[in-house]
Amino acid sequence: MSNTVTYFTGFRGADLLFLAEAAWGTLKLSALSIAVGTALGVGLGWMLAELRATRPILVPLLDVFRSVPLIIQLVLFFNFVPMIGLGLSPFAAGCVVLSAYAAALVAQVARAGIESVGRPLRRAARSLGMSYGQAMRHVVLPMGLRTVFPAWVGIVLGVMKDSSLVSVLGYVELLRASQILITRTQEALFVLGVAGAFYFLLSWPVSWWAARHEKRWQQ
Amino acid sequence: MNSNFHWRPVLRALPDLIQAAFVTLEVAALSMLIGVVLGLALAMARDFTAPAAAPARWLAVAWVALARNTPALFQLYFFGFGLGAWGINMSPLAIVLAGLSFNNAGYLAETFRGGFRAVPAAQMRAALSLGMTRMQAMTRIVVPQVLRAVWHPLTNQMVWAVLMSSLGMLVGLHELAGETQAQASRTFRIFEYFAVAAVIYYVVVKLLVLGARLMAWRLFRGWSPA
């Protein structure tokens, strides 16, 4: 073995593993954010649709998340947390911001879903003796879900792509990993191609699954 | 809260930030302009049926799929680092413009396809039967209706373009986010600077949406609501 240090080495098999691991990071980050964001967003959407008094506060508040670039939100939150004496890892901070962002988007969609089920239909459900909760669960939920499902899938894919921005906080997700590899291998086009393929691998199953569901529901 | 805010340096930098906000607007508007032209071309190419036009169709399909299924930052990196492998080195402004235009075109292609579908073919035939030329029918009957159908998504895309242009920060462009970062790294008042930037972004986006609404009201008045 020679003692010379090589700074640049070609793309190796292990690098593929490194990218796969980073893709797993992207998946974890987005899945967690989407889960939390959807739960929160449905609650908020229900408030928007059913408790009209909350609208003057909630609508402008949720609007902020869609009117300020995500990258600014991430930097702001990541720098705010230490100010109140807390410490959050880039992953956790990214999760919080992405969840809030997803919740703001889901809230509008959930509200549209609830409102898409007409009042007469819901009155009919209530007059059949269903409780409010039953009418929500058995009438509004299944019907509203079908209307807004494509929009929700759009949010899921959007959040997954936007999770790439958490790289600015230092979390090594797919895009950041590809940056690291580009610096070492100097094979930008190839590494980006692999990273792009991973993004496709992550988003394509979701699109496919969603399209299949939509078709089945239309029948 | 045992942290003191220092707003003075931010206020002193405010003129620079507002100047940078105009760069943001210019980049977004320019990328939208290119995006609209390319998006229209892609939308038409996707509906080509002639076998000879198959390569154009495939290019359009691939473009739209890539633009919609990969992160915008990935697309920016592709134009920034990826093309460097072919010896094409672009300035930060060119990278952001190329990336944003690529992204806008991909999304707008789908928007335009939907818009053209929203106008029934019978409208064209009816216009022709009234003695209009094809050009007249297009500019007076079809395009105004398409415009109305795509107005809202077009506005949304413009807002996105403004938000996406903040990625310029990561490739060294001094638009609003990039300028903010440059200023913030001078004083390390990161939170204060980015808070002000967030406010400016919010105002810019709100003004854009308001402007689009006013224009829509002026353009489409007298039309029955879609």
Side-chain angles (χ1 to χ4, degrees):
Chain A
M1 288 294 274
S2 68
N3 284 325
T4 48
V5 180
T6 1
Y7 291 103
F8 304 127
T9 45
F11 194 86
R12 295 176 300 213
D15 296 335
L16 200 63
L17 210 67
F18 179 59
L19 277 180
E21 219 177 287
W24 173 240
T26 289
L27 187 65
K28 265 194 307 192
L29 185 63
S30 28
L32 199 60
S33 309
I34 287 158
V36 176
T38 302
L40 258 172
V42 168
L44 288 168
W46 175 80
M47 279 163 78
L48 283 172
E50 299 286 282
L51 308 172
R52 302 226 155 195
T54 60
R55 277 192 189 183
I57 310 156
L58 271 186
V59 171
L61 190 70
L62 294 177
D63 208 40
V64 171
F65 290 99
R66 293 181 303 159
S67 307
V68 174
L70 195 57
I71 203 165
I72 304 261
Q73 294 179 35
L74 283 163
V75 172
L76 266 181
F77 183 72
F78 196 54
N79 283 285
F80 175 73
V81 169
M83 284 184 189
I84 51 171
L86 290 173
L88 275 186
S89 68
F91 180 84
C95 250
V96 171
V97 174
L98 274 177
S99 300
Y101 177 69
L105 298 178
V106 170
Q108 296 298 335
V109 166
R111 165 195 172 176
I114 293 171
E115 283 174 352
S116 74
V117 183
R119 253 183 211 268
L121 204 64
R122 295 177 57 183
R123 289 221 183 91
R126 295 300 300 276
S127 73
L128 283 175
M130 286 188 182
S131 69
Y132 177 84
Q134 281 173 327
M136 267 285 164
R137 204 164 59 242
H138 299 298
V139 179
V140 178
L141 184 73
M143 292 184 72
L145 193 62
R146 273 167 212 218
T147 346
V148 297
F149 183 71
W152 181 75
V153 172
I155 294 174
V156 168
L157 295 175
V159 168
M160 204 199 70
K161 285 182 285 172
D162 288 338
S163 74
S164 62
L165 297 181
V166 180
S167 60
V168 291
L169 305 184
Y171 180 63
V172 183
E173 42 64 71
L174 191 44
L175 206 55
R176 176 85 169 202
S178 70
Q179 290 293 292
I180 294 170
L181 283 184
I182 287 172
T183 309
R184 205 205 70 219
T185 63
Q186 299 292 307
E187 294 174 39
L189 216 52
F190 179 72
V191 174
L192 280 176
V194 176
F198 269 115
Y199 272 113
F200 242 99
L201 271 172
L202 287 175
S203 66
W204 195 73
V206 179
S207 314
W208 181 79
W209 170 78
R212 216 182 54 153
H213 256 262
E214 267 174 64
K215 228 173 245 165
R216 213 166 47 193
W217 276 344
Q218 272 165 11
Q219 281 164 5
Chain B
M1 191 87 105
N2 45 17
S3 170
N4 297 313
F5 290 112
H6 292 269
W7 296 100
R8 201 177 295 271
V10 191
L11 289 182
R12 227 177 289 140
L14 200 57
D16 287 343
L17 294 184
I18 289 171
Q19 195 93 48
F22 280 104
V23 178
T24 286
L25 262 180
E26 279 163 24
V27 168
L30 209 53
S31 75
M32 272 301 279
L33 214 65
I34 304 171
V36 165
V37 174
L38 288 175
L40 271 173
L42 289 176
M44 283 193 269
R46 273 196 85 163
D47 289 334
F48 282 160
T49 44
R57 196 175 61 235
W58 281 109
L59 175 77
V61 169
W63 184 317
V64 171
L66 265 177
R68 293 172 65 102
N69 285 308
T70 56
L73 185 55
F74 171 85
Q75 293 159 23
L76 235 64
Y77 280 165
F78 177 81
F79 285 105
F81 305 107
L83 291 189
W86 286 333
I88 306 168
N89 290 308
M90 301 202 283
S91 69
L93 179 68
I95 293 171
V96 174
L97 261 183
L100 251 59
S101 303
F102 177 82
N103 189 283
N104 284 338
Y107 277 90
L108 289 175
E110 291 293 271
T111 304
F112 288 136
R113 237 153 69 102
F116 276 105
R117 284 216 188 121
V119 182
Q123 298 260 342
M124 185 59 152
R125 287 200 295 275
L128 291 177
S129 77
L130 283 175
M132 285 189 183
T133 63
R134 209 154 239 293
M135 196 62 192
Q136 282 175 324
M138 209 54 189
T139 54
R140 294 186 194 181
I141 306 295
V142 178
V143 169
Q145 294 189 79
V146 172
L147 192 64
R148 191 176 53 144
V150 301
W151 189 259
H152 188 64
L154 217 56
T155 315
N156 267 343
Q157 191 67 35
M158 178 67 194
V159 169
W160 275 359
V162 168
L163 299 185
M164 270 193 295
S165 70
S166 64
L167 299 179
M169 173 178 131
L170 302 176
V171 291
L173 180 67
H174 281 222
E175 38 64 65
L176 182 47
E179 180 66 22
T180 305
Q181 197 197 26
Q183 297 269 0
S185 59
R186 225 173 275 159
T187 53
F188 285 103
R189 290 283 148 204
I190 297 172
F191 183 83
E192 288 91 330
Y193 273 104
F194 277 87
V196 170
V199 172
I200 299 177
Y201 270 114
Y202 185 81
V203 171
V204 166
V205 165
K206 286 291 126 183
L207 285 178
L208 270 178
V209 171
L210 189 72
R213 281 221 187 115
L214 284 177
M215 268 172 86
W217 175 75
R218 177 70 187 78
L219 280 172
F220 309 129
R221 67 180 164 181
W223 294 61
S224 59

